[in-house]
Amino acid sequence: MIPASDALSQIIAAMKPTCAEQVALPDALGRILAEDVLARLTQPWADVSAMDGYAVRQEDVAQVSAQAPATLKVIGESAAGGSFDGDVGPGCAVRIFTGAPVPKGTDTIIIQEDTEAAGEAITVLEKAPAGKFIRPAGLDFKADTVLLKAGSLMSGRNVGLAAAANVPWVKVRRKPRIALIATGNEVVMPGDTLGDNQIISSNSVMLSAFIKVLGGEPLDLGIARDDLGSLTERVRAAKQADMLITIGGASVGDYDLVGQVLLQEGLQLAFDKVAMRPGKPVIFGLLDGMPVLGMPGNPVSVGVSSAVFLRPAIAAMLSVPATDAPLQTAQLAIDLGGNDERQEYMRATLSIGADGEHLVTPFSKQDSAMLAKFAEADCLVIRAPFAPPAKAGDTVDFIPLHTGRITL
Protein backbone atom coordinates (compact mmCIF):
# COMPACT_ATOMS: atom_id res chain seq x y z
CA MET A 1 0.00 0.00 0.00
CA ILE A 2 1.12 3.53 -0.69
CA PRO A 3 0.00 6.68 1.16
CA ALA A 4 -2.95 8.54 -0.32
CA SER A 5 -0.80 11.64 -0.82
CA ASP A 6 1.72 9.65 -2.91
CA ALA A 7 -1.09 8.10 -4.94
CA LEU A 8 -2.53 11.54 -5.68
CA SER A 9 0.87 12.92 -6.70
CA GLN A 10 1.43 10.05 -9.14
CA ILE A 11 -2.04 10.44 -10.64
CA ILE A 12 -1.70 14.20 -11.19
CA ALA A 13 1.80 13.81 -12.65
CA ALA A 14 0.47 11.37 -15.26
CA MET A 15 -2.25 13.70 -16.56
CA LYS A 16 -1.71 15.56 -19.84
CA PRO A 17 -3.64 18.72 -20.66
CA THR A 18 -6.25 18.31 -23.37
CA CYS A 19 -5.93 20.37 -26.53
CA ALA A 20 -7.61 23.74 -27.04
CA GLU A 21 -10.76 24.21 -29.08
CA GLN A 22 -12.64 27.33 -30.09
CA VAL A 23 -16.26 27.72 -29.06
CA ALA A 24 -18.85 30.44 -29.46
CA LEU A 25 -19.15 32.56 -26.32
CA PRO A 26 -22.69 31.34 -25.41
CA ASP A 27 -21.33 27.77 -25.42
CA ALA A 28 -18.41 28.60 -23.11
CA LEU A 29 -20.35 28.44 -19.82
CA GLY A 30 -18.66 26.01 -17.44
CA ARG A 31 -15.61 25.54 -19.68
CA ILE A 32 -11.97 26.22 -18.79
CA LEU A 33 -10.11 28.86 -20.77
CA ALA A 34 -7.09 27.66 -22.73
CA GLU A 35 -5.97 31.18 -23.63
CA ASP A 36 -6.19 34.59 -22.02
CA VAL A 37 -9.18 36.72 -23.04
CA LEU A 38 -8.23 40.26 -24.05
CA ALA A 39 -10.63 43.18 -24.32
CA ARG A 40 -11.33 44.19 -27.92
CA LEU A 41 -12.47 47.68 -26.94
CA THR A 42 -12.30 50.27 -24.17
CA GLN A 43 -15.25 50.38 -21.78
CA PRO A 44 -16.64 52.95 -21.49
CA TRP A 45 -15.34 54.22 -24.83
CA ALA A 46 -15.55 57.86 -23.68
CA ASP A 47 -16.30 59.89 -20.55
CA VAL A 48 -19.99 59.19 -19.91
CA SER A 49 -22.60 60.31 -17.44
CA ALA A 50 -23.49 58.06 -14.51
CA MET A 51 -26.80 59.87 -13.89
CA ASP A 52 -29.63 61.72 -15.57
CA GLY A 53 -29.13 65.48 -15.26
CA TYR A 54 -27.13 68.27 -16.85
CA ALA A 55 -23.54 68.47 -18.03
CA VAL A 56 -22.02 71.76 -16.90
CA ARG A 57 -18.73 73.56 -16.36
CA GLN A 58 -17.69 73.16 -12.75
CA GLU A 59 -16.54 76.76 -12.54
CA ASP A 60 -20.12 77.88 -13.32
CA VAL A 61 -21.51 76.06 -10.28
CA ALA A 62 -18.57 76.22 -7.87
CA GLN A 63 -20.25 78.72 -5.55
CA VAL A 64 -23.84 77.49 -5.93
CA SER A 65 -26.04 76.98 -2.89
CA ALA A 66 -29.75 76.94 -2.14
CA GLN A 67 -29.43 80.60 -1.13
CA ALA A 68 -27.31 81.51 -4.20
CA PRO A 69 -28.44 79.36 -7.14
CA ALA A 70 -27.09 79.68 -10.68
CA THR A 71 -29.10 79.97 -13.87
CA LEU A 72 -27.71 78.25 -16.97
CA LYS A 73 -28.92 78.12 -20.54
CA VAL A 74 -29.67 74.60 -21.89
CA ILE A 75 -28.22 74.44 -25.44
CA GLY A 76 -28.83 70.77 -26.33
CA GLU A 77 -28.91 67.22 -25.07
CA SER A 78 -26.76 64.09 -25.00
CA ALA A 79 -28.49 60.72 -24.80
CA ALA A 80 -27.24 57.13 -24.92
CA GLY A 81 -26.72 56.25 -28.56
CA GLY A 82 -26.22 59.94 -29.44
CA SER A 83 -24.10 62.91 -28.40
CA PHE A 84 -23.89 66.67 -28.23
CA ASP A 85 -21.13 67.60 -30.65
CA GLY A 86 -20.73 71.30 -29.93
CA ASP A 87 -18.63 73.06 -27.33
CA VAL A 88 -20.22 74.20 -24.08
CA GLY A 89 -19.27 77.74 -23.12
CA PRO A 90 -19.69 79.76 -19.93
CA GLY A 91 -23.20 79.89 -18.51
CA CYS A 92 -24.41 76.95 -20.61
CA ALA A 93 -25.51 73.39 -19.87
CA VAL A 94 -26.47 70.26 -21.83
CA ARG A 95 -29.29 67.94 -20.83
CA ILE A 96 -27.67 64.51 -20.38
CA PHE A 97 -28.85 60.98 -19.67
CA THR A 98 -27.19 57.97 -18.05
CA GLY A 99 -24.60 56.40 -20.33
CA ALA A 100 -24.41 59.35 -22.70
CA PRO A 101 -21.04 60.91 -23.62
CA VAL A 102 -20.03 64.03 -21.72
CA PRO A 103 -19.94 67.08 -24.06
CA LYS A 104 -16.72 68.98 -24.72
CA GLY A 105 -16.16 71.82 -22.32
CA THR A 106 -18.10 70.26 -19.42
CA ASP A 107 -16.50 68.54 -16.48
CA THR A 108 -19.26 67.67 -14.01
CA ILE A 109 -22.86 66.49 -13.87
CA ILE A 110 -25.65 68.12 -11.88
CA ILE A 111 -28.36 65.55 -11.20
CA GLN A 112 -31.81 66.63 -12.26
CA GLU A 113 -33.07 66.49 -8.65
CA ASP A 114 -30.74 69.42 -7.86
CA THR A 115 -32.17 71.65 -10.58
CA GLU A 116 -35.35 73.45 -11.53
CA ALA A 117 -36.16 73.67 -15.24
CA ALA A 118 -37.98 76.60 -16.86
CA GLY A 119 -38.11 76.64 -20.64
CA GLU A 120 -34.56 76.72 -22.08
CA ALA A 121 -32.95 77.46 -18.71
CA ILE A 122 -32.25 75.60 -15.50
CA THR A 123 -31.65 76.85 -12.01
CA VAL A 124 -28.86 74.90 -10.30
CA LEU A 125 -29.49 74.52 -6.57
CA GLU A 126 -26.47 72.44 -5.50
CA LYS A 127 -22.81 72.74 -6.45
CA ALA A 128 -20.81 69.73 -7.66
CA PRO A 129 -17.04 69.11 -7.74
CA ALA A 130 -15.26 68.44 -11.03
CA GLY A 131 -15.78 64.87 -12.20
CA LYS A 132 -18.96 64.34 -10.19
CA PHE A 133 -21.13 61.56 -11.71
CA ILE A 134 -18.74 61.13 -14.67
CA ARG A 135 -17.43 57.70 -15.57
CA PRO A 136 -14.08 58.26 -17.27
CA ALA A 137 -13.14 56.42 -20.44
CA GLY A 138 -11.66 53.01 -19.60
CA LEU A 139 -13.07 52.97 -16.07
CA ASP A 140 -14.12 49.31 -16.51
CA PHE A 141 -11.35 48.13 -18.82
CA LYS A 142 -9.19 49.26 -21.73
CA ALA A 143 -8.58 47.64 -25.11
CA ASP A 144 -6.01 44.81 -25.05
CA THR A 145 -6.32 44.42 -21.25
CA VAL A 146 -6.21 40.78 -20.10
CA LEU A 147 -9.66 40.31 -18.60
CA LEU A 148 -9.64 36.55 -18.01
CA LYS A 149 -6.58 34.35 -17.63
CA ALA A 150 -6.06 30.89 -19.09
CA GLY A 151 -7.24 28.31 -16.58
CA SER A 152 -10.21 30.42 -15.49
CA LEU A 153 -13.66 28.89 -15.27
CA MET A 154 -16.18 30.55 -17.57
CA SER A 155 -18.85 31.45 -15.06
CA GLY A 156 -21.94 33.41 -16.01
CA ARG A 157 -20.18 36.62 -14.93
CA ASN A 158 -17.13 35.81 -17.01
CA VAL A 159 -19.27 35.08 -20.07
CA GLY A 160 -20.91 38.47 -19.56
CA LEU A 161 -17.52 40.19 -19.19
CA ALA A 162 -16.23 38.65 -22.42
CA ALA A 163 -19.41 39.73 -24.20
CA ALA A 164 -19.01 43.31 -22.93
CA ALA A 165 -15.46 43.27 -24.30
CA ASN A 166 -16.82 42.35 -27.77
CA VAL A 167 -15.34 38.82 -27.67
CA PRO A 168 -17.55 36.43 -29.69
CA TRP A 169 -15.34 33.29 -29.48
CA VAL A 170 -12.98 31.89 -26.85
CA LYS A 171 -10.40 29.11 -26.74
CA VAL A 172 -11.22 26.49 -24.09
CA ARG A 173 -9.77 23.14 -23.08
CA ARG A 174 -11.44 20.21 -24.78
CA LYS A 175 -13.48 18.23 -22.31
CA PRO A 176 -11.47 15.14 -21.26
CA ARG A 177 -13.08 11.98 -22.66
CA ILE A 178 -13.24 9.49 -19.79
CA ALA A 179 -14.27 5.94 -20.52
CA LEU A 180 -16.15 3.99 -17.84
CA ILE A 181 -16.38 0.22 -17.47
CA ALA A 182 -18.53 -1.25 -14.73
CA THR A 183 -17.86 -4.89 -13.87
CA GLY A 184 -19.70 -7.78 -12.27
CA ASN A 185 -22.23 -10.50 -13.05
CA GLU A 186 -24.43 -9.18 -10.25
CA VAL A 187 -25.00 -5.62 -11.53
CA VAL A 188 -27.74 -4.34 -13.81
CA MET A 189 -28.58 -0.84 -14.95
CA PRO A 190 -31.29 1.23 -13.22
CA GLY A 191 -34.70 0.32 -14.62
CA ASP A 192 -33.67 -3.17 -15.78
CA THR A 193 -35.35 -6.25 -14.37
CA LEU A 194 -33.61 -7.15 -11.13
CA GLY A 195 -32.99 -10.88 -10.86
CA ASP A 196 -32.10 -12.98 -7.84
CA ASN A 197 -28.85 -11.89 -6.18
CA GLN A 198 -28.47 -8.87 -8.45
CA ILE A 199 -27.91 -5.22 -7.55
CA ILE A 200 -28.37 -1.91 -9.32
CA SER A 201 -25.28 -0.42 -10.96
CA SER A 202 -25.41 3.05 -9.46
CA ASN A 203 -21.67 3.56 -9.82
CA SER A 204 -21.48 4.19 -13.56
CA VAL A 205 -24.44 6.57 -13.45
CA MET A 206 -22.95 8.42 -10.48
CA LEU A 207 -19.49 8.58 -12.05
CA SER A 208 -20.90 9.88 -15.32
CA ALA A 209 -22.57 12.66 -13.37
CA PHE A 210 -19.35 13.42 -11.47
CA ILE A 211 -17.38 13.63 -14.71
CA LYS A 212 -19.87 16.04 -16.27
CA VAL A 213 -19.87 18.27 -13.19
CA LEU A 214 -16.06 18.29 -13.14
CA GLY A 215 -15.86 19.34 -16.79
CA GLY A 216 -15.28 16.01 -18.54
CA GLU A 217 -17.18 13.94 -21.07
CA PRO A 218 -18.12 10.41 -19.89
CA LEU A 219 -18.02 7.51 -22.33
CA ASP A 220 -20.01 4.69 -20.76
CA LEU A 221 -18.81 1.38 -22.21
CA GLY A 222 -21.35 -0.66 -20.29
CA ILE A 223 -21.05 -3.53 -17.86
CA ALA A 224 -18.31 -6.13 -18.33
CA ARG A 225 -19.23 -9.55 -16.99
CA ASP A 226 -16.85 -11.50 -14.78
CA ASP A 227 -14.99 -13.19 -17.59
CA LEU A 228 -11.76 -12.26 -19.32
CA GLY A 229 -13.27 -11.90 -22.79
CA SER A 230 -15.99 -9.42 -21.81
CA LEU A 231 -13.61 -7.26 -19.84
CA THR A 232 -10.84 -7.37 -22.47
CA GLU A 233 -13.25 -6.29 -25.20
CA ARG A 234 -14.28 -3.19 -23.28
CA VAL A 235 -10.75 -2.27 -22.22
CA ARG A 236 -9.67 -2.32 -25.86
CA ALA A 237 -12.64 -0.15 -26.82
CA ALA A 238 -11.46 2.51 -24.39
CA LYS A 239 -8.05 3.15 -25.88
CA GLN A 240 -9.10 6.32 -27.73
CA ALA A 241 -10.20 7.98 -24.50
CA ASP A 242 -8.12 10.41 -22.46
CA MET A 243 -8.60 8.25 -19.36
CA LEU A 244 -10.16 4.92 -18.42
CA ILE A 245 -11.95 4.24 -15.15
CA THR A 246 -12.93 0.73 -14.19
CA ILE A 247 -15.45 0.14 -11.43
CA GLY A 248 -15.24 -2.98 -9.31
CA GLY A 249 -13.13 -6.07 -9.76
CA ALA A 250 -10.08 -4.34 -8.35
CA SER A 251 -9.74 -6.40 -5.17
CA VAL A 252 -8.26 -9.89 -4.67
CA GLY A 253 -11.28 -12.17 -4.99
CA ASP A 254 -11.58 -15.02 -7.51
CA TYR A 255 -13.80 -12.86 -9.74
CA ASP A 256 -11.76 -9.67 -9.44
CA LEU A 257 -10.24 -9.77 -12.92
CA VAL A 258 -9.60 -6.10 -13.68
CA GLY A 259 -5.94 -6.07 -12.71
CA GLN A 260 -5.27 -9.28 -14.60
CA VAL A 261 -6.81 -8.01 -17.83
CA LEU A 262 -5.17 -4.61 -17.62
CA LEU A 263 -1.74 -6.18 -17.12
CA GLN A 264 -2.35 -8.54 -20.04
CA GLU A 265 -3.21 -5.54 -22.21
CA GLY A 266 0.06 -3.84 -21.29
CA LEU A 267 -0.73 -1.71 -18.23
CA GLN A 268 2.34 -0.14 -16.64
CA LEU A 269 1.19 -0.49 -13.04
CA ALA A 270 2.01 2.34 -10.65
CA PHE A 271 0.16 0.99 -7.60
CA ASP A 272 -2.75 -1.28 -6.73
CA LYS A 273 -3.50 -0.46 -3.09
CA VAL A 274 -3.79 2.83 -1.22
CA ALA A 275 -3.65 3.28 2.54
CA MET A 276 -7.05 4.98 2.72
CA ARG A 277 -10.53 4.23 4.01
CA PRO A 278 -12.78 3.81 2.14
CA GLY A 279 -11.15 2.97 -1.19
CA LYS A 280 -8.16 0.76 -0.39
CA PRO A 281 -8.18 -1.39 -3.60
CA VAL A 282 -7.43 1.45 -6.05
CA ILE A 283 -5.40 0.64 -9.18
CA PHE A 284 -3.49 3.19 -11.23
CA GLY A 285 -1.18 2.96 -14.19
CA LEU A 286 -0.69 3.81 -17.85
CA LEU A 287 -2.03 1.76 -20.76
CA ASP A 288 -0.32 2.84 -23.99
CA GLY A 289 0.08 6.26 -22.39
CA MET A 290 -3.57 6.48 -21.28
CA PRO A 291 -4.10 6.88 -17.52
CA VAL A 292 -6.16 4.06 -16.02
CA LEU A 293 -7.83 4.39 -12.63
CA GLY A 294 -9.36 1.24 -11.20
CA MET A 295 -11.88 2.00 -8.48
CA PRO A 296 -13.49 -0.38 -5.99
CA GLY A 297 -17.07 -1.50 -6.59
CA ASN A 298 -18.47 -0.05 -3.38
CA PRO A 299 -20.50 3.07 -4.24
CA VAL A 300 -19.20 5.17 -1.35
CA SER A 301 -15.64 4.12 -2.16
CA VAL A 302 -16.27 5.29 -5.73
CA GLY A 303 -17.56 8.61 -4.44
CA VAL A 304 -14.66 9.15 -2.08
CA SER A 305 -12.10 8.08 -4.71
CA SER A 306 -13.69 10.55 -7.12
CA ALA A 307 -13.37 13.41 -4.64
CA VAL A 308 -9.80 12.50 -3.70
CA PHE A 309 -8.36 11.42 -7.07
CA LEU A 310 -10.71 12.05 -9.99
CA ARG A 311 -11.45 15.72 -9.29
CA PRO A 312 -7.75 16.77 -9.24
CA ALA A 313 -7.02 14.46 -12.20
CA ILE A 314 -9.62 16.16 -14.39
CA ALA A 315 -8.47 19.56 -13.13
CA ALA A 316 -4.93 18.70 -14.28
CA MET A 317 -6.22 17.67 -17.73
CA LEU A 318 -8.03 21.01 -17.94
CA SER A 319 -4.90 22.89 -16.79
CA VAL A 320 -6.73 24.33 -13.80
CA PRO A 321 -4.13 25.94 -11.49
CA ALA A 322 -3.05 23.83 -8.52
CA THR A 323 -4.08 26.71 -6.24
CA ASP A 324 -7.68 25.74 -6.96
CA ALA A 325 -7.30 22.59 -4.83
CA PRO A 326 -10.37 22.18 -2.64
CA LEU A 327 -8.74 21.37 0.73
CA GLN A 328 -10.20 23.55 3.50
CA THR A 329 -10.21 23.71 7.31
CA ALA A 330 -12.94 23.81 9.95
CA GLN A 331 -13.51 23.01 13.61
CA LEU A 332 -14.82 19.67 14.79
CA ALA A 333 -18.28 19.79 16.32
CA ILE A 334 -17.81 16.46 18.12
CA ASP A 335 -15.05 14.36 19.66
CA LEU A 336 -13.36 11.69 17.54
CA GLY A 337 -11.37 8.64 18.51
CA GLY A 338 -7.89 7.84 17.26
CA ASN A 339 -7.27 6.56 13.72
CA ASP A 340 -5.47 3.43 12.50
CA GLU A 341 -2.79 3.05 9.80
CA ARG A 342 -5.02 4.18 6.88
CA GLN A 343 -5.95 7.75 6.06
CA GLU A 344 -9.68 8.08 6.60
CA TYR A 345 -12.15 10.26 4.71
CA MET A 346 -15.12 10.68 7.02
CA ARG A 347 -18.44 11.73 5.56
CA ALA A 348 -19.64 14.82 7.41
CA THR A 349 -22.00 17.77 7.37
CA LEU A 350 -20.81 21.38 7.34
CA SER A 351 -22.47 24.16 9.34
CA ILE A 352 -21.83 27.61 10.80
CA GLY A 353 -21.36 27.89 14.57
CA ALA A 354 -22.63 30.60 16.90
CA ASP A 355 -19.41 32.59 16.50
CA GLY A 356 -19.47 32.31 12.69
CA GLU A 357 -16.87 29.55 12.52
CA HIS A 358 -17.21 26.59 10.14
CA LEU A 359 -18.09 23.37 11.95
CA VAL A 360 -17.88 19.81 10.62
CA THR A 361 -19.86 16.95 12.12
CA PRO A 362 -18.82 13.47 10.94
CA PHE A 363 -21.62 10.93 10.83
CA SER A 364 -21.66 8.47 13.70
CA LYS A 365 -21.73 5.56 11.23
CA GLN A 366 -19.10 5.59 8.47
CA ASP A 367 -20.00 2.31 6.76
CA SER A 368 -18.93 2.51 3.10
CA ALA A 369 -22.14 0.80 2.00
CA MET A 370 -24.26 3.78 3.11
CA LEU A 371 -24.78 5.72 -0.11
CA ALA A 372 -27.68 7.70 1.38
CA LYS A 373 -25.32 9.14 4.02
CA PHE A 374 -22.78 9.97 1.33
CA ALA A 375 -25.47 11.87 -0.59
CA GLU A 376 -26.33 13.74 2.63
CA ALA A 377 -22.71 14.69 3.33
CA ASP A 378 -21.29 18.14 2.58
CA CYS A 379 -17.65 17.21 2.90
CA LEU A 380 -15.01 14.58 3.72
CA VAL A 381 -13.10 15.14 6.97
CA ILE A 382 -9.51 13.90 6.59
CA ARG A 383 -8.01 11.87 9.41
CA ALA A 384 -4.31 11.17 8.94
CA PRO A 385 -2.86 7.72 9.61
CA PHE A 386 -2.41 7.13 13.35
CA ALA A 387 -4.10 10.45 14.15
CA PRO A 388 -4.63 10.72 17.93
CA PRO A 389 -8.10 11.31 19.41
CA ALA A 390 -9.51 14.75 18.59
CA LYS A 391 -11.74 17.00 20.63
CA ALA A 392 -14.63 19.21 19.59
CA GLY A 393 -13.13 22.56 18.60
CA ASP A 394 -9.96 21.05 17.12
CA THR A 395 -9.11 22.18 13.59
CA VAL A 396 -9.30 19.54 10.86
CA ASP A 397 -8.85 19.47 7.09
CA PHE A 398 -11.78 18.63 4.86
CA ILE A 399 -12.60 18.25 1.16
CA PRO A 400 -15.87 19.92 0.16
CA LEU A 401 -18.14 17.74 -1.96
CA HIS A 402 -19.59 20.67 -3.89
CA THR A 403 -17.57 21.95 -6.85
CA GLY A 404 -19.03 25.35 -7.59
CA ARG A 405 -18.21 24.89 -11.26
CA ILE A 406 -21.23 26.68 -12.67
CA THR A 407 -21.52 29.98 -10.84
CA LEU A 408 -22.97 33.40 -11.47
Side-chain angles (χ1 to χ4, degrees):
M1 287 194 299
I2 69 169
S5 57
D6 290 352
L8 178 58
S9 296
Q10 292 189 41
I11 290 172
I12 291 176
M15 299 299 134
K16 296 179 180 179
T18 57
C19 63
E21 61 182 10
Q22 184 169 273
V23 299
L25 185 59
D27 298 326
L29 181 65
R31 303 294 295 273
I32 300 297
L33 286 175
E35 292 182 356
D36 294 347
V37 172
L38 277 63
R40 299 179 66 201
L41 50 74
T42 295
Q43 177 65 22
W45 74 99
D47 293 353
V48 298
S49 178
M51 301 290 283
D52 293 339
Y54 296 88
V56 303
R57 297 166 7 118
Q58 193 270 337
E59 60 189 283
D60 287 339
V61 298
Q63 305 302 320
V64 163
S65 68
Q67 291 73 36
T71 300
L72 304 177
K73 181 182 180 181
V74 179
I75 61 174
E77 78 170 28
S78 180
S83 64
F84 179 82
D85 296 326
D87 288 326
V88 180
C92 295
V94 171
R95 180 76 165 110
I96 197 166
F97 299 93
T98 303
V102 176
K104 293 179 182 178
T106 65
D107 57 4
T108 192
I109 306 296
I110 303 293
I111 60 173
Q112 61 189 30
E113 293 89 340
D114 290 339
T115 66
E116 291 179 353
E120 295 183 354
I122 58 167
T123 300
V124 180
L125 306 175
E126 295 287 344
K127 64 182 178 181
K132 184 71 170 179
F133 298 126
I134 293 177
R135 294 173 179 150
L139 173 67
D140 198 358
F141 52 79
K142 296 181 180 180
D144 298 323
T145 301
V146 175
L147 296 179
L148 300 168
K149 291 187 174 294
S152 298
L153 170 70
M154 288 300 286
S155 64
R157 283 172 293 159
N158 287 347
V159 169
L161 176 59
N166 197 28
V167 175
W169 303 84
V170 291
K171 289 284 188 71
V172 296
R173 289 288 169 192
R174 177 179 57 75
K175 293 182 179 182
R177 296 187 294 263
I178 301 180
L180 302 176
I181 302 174
T183 66
N185 292 334
E186 75 281 12
V187 293
V188 298
M189 293 301 294
D192 288 350
T193 301
L194 194 63
D196 294 340
N197 305 313
Q198 289 188 313
I199 59 173
I200 300 297
S201 178
S202 59
N203 285 331
S204 56
V205 178
M206 181 169 64
L207 261 177
S208 291
F210 287 166
I211 291 166
K212 290 177 182 178
V213 168
L214 295 171
E217 180 182 348
L219 306 173
D220 192 346
L221 299 181
I223 300 172
R225 298 308 169 189
D226 291 325
D227 66 75
L228 295 177
S230 177
L231 187 54
T232 300
E233 177 184 2
R234 284 166 174 77
V235 169
R236 290 177 179 175
K239 291 187 178 181
Q240 298 305 311
D242 297 301
M243 184 179 187
L244 168 62
I245 297 178
T246 62
I247 310 165
S251 192
V252 294
D254 292 343
Y255 295 98
D256 293 320
L257 305 176
V258 169
Q260 180 180 339
V261 169
L262 290 173
L263 290 171
Q264 288 176 354
E265 291 299 301
L267 179 74
Q268 296 176 292
L269 182 65
F271 57 81
D272 60 2
K273 290 184 183 66
V274 179
M276 61 184 290
R277 183 175 57 251
K280 174 183 173 181
V282 172
I283 296 172
F284 182 72
L286 296 177
L287 182 59
D288 295 332
M290 176 183 64
V292 177
L293 181 62
M295 292 189 179
N298 185 291
V300 176
S301 296
V302 168
V304 170
S305 297
S306 297
V308 175
F309 299 130
L310 180 58
R311 175 159 53 185
I314 292 179
M317 285 190 277
L318 292 171
S319 293
V320 172
T323 53
D324 289 353
L327 198 65
Q328 299 180 24
T329 60
Q331 294 180 17
L332 277 174
I334 61 173
D335 296 346
L336 293 177
N339 193 23
D340 61 17
E341 72 277 7
R342 288 193 284 165
Q343 183 152 297
E344 185 171 17
Y345 296 89
M346 304 183 75
R347 283 69 72 200
T349 57
L350 183 63
S351 60
I352 303 296
D355 296 330
E357 74 278 14
H358 285 87
L359 297 175
V360 286
T361 307
F363 296 131
S364 58
K365 291 185 179 297
Q366 292 288 323
D367 193 303
S368 59
M370 299 173 69
L371 187 55
K373 281 296 182 185
F374 181 67
E376 184 183 339
D378 300 310
C379 60
L380 301 175
V381 172
I382 302 173
R383 297 279 284 154
F386 303 108
K391 295 290 186 181
D394 288 351
T395 299
V396 292
D397 292 331
F398 72 90
I399 298 174
L401 291 175
H402 59 81
T403 69
R405 279 192 55 84
I406 306 298
T407 63
L408 292 177

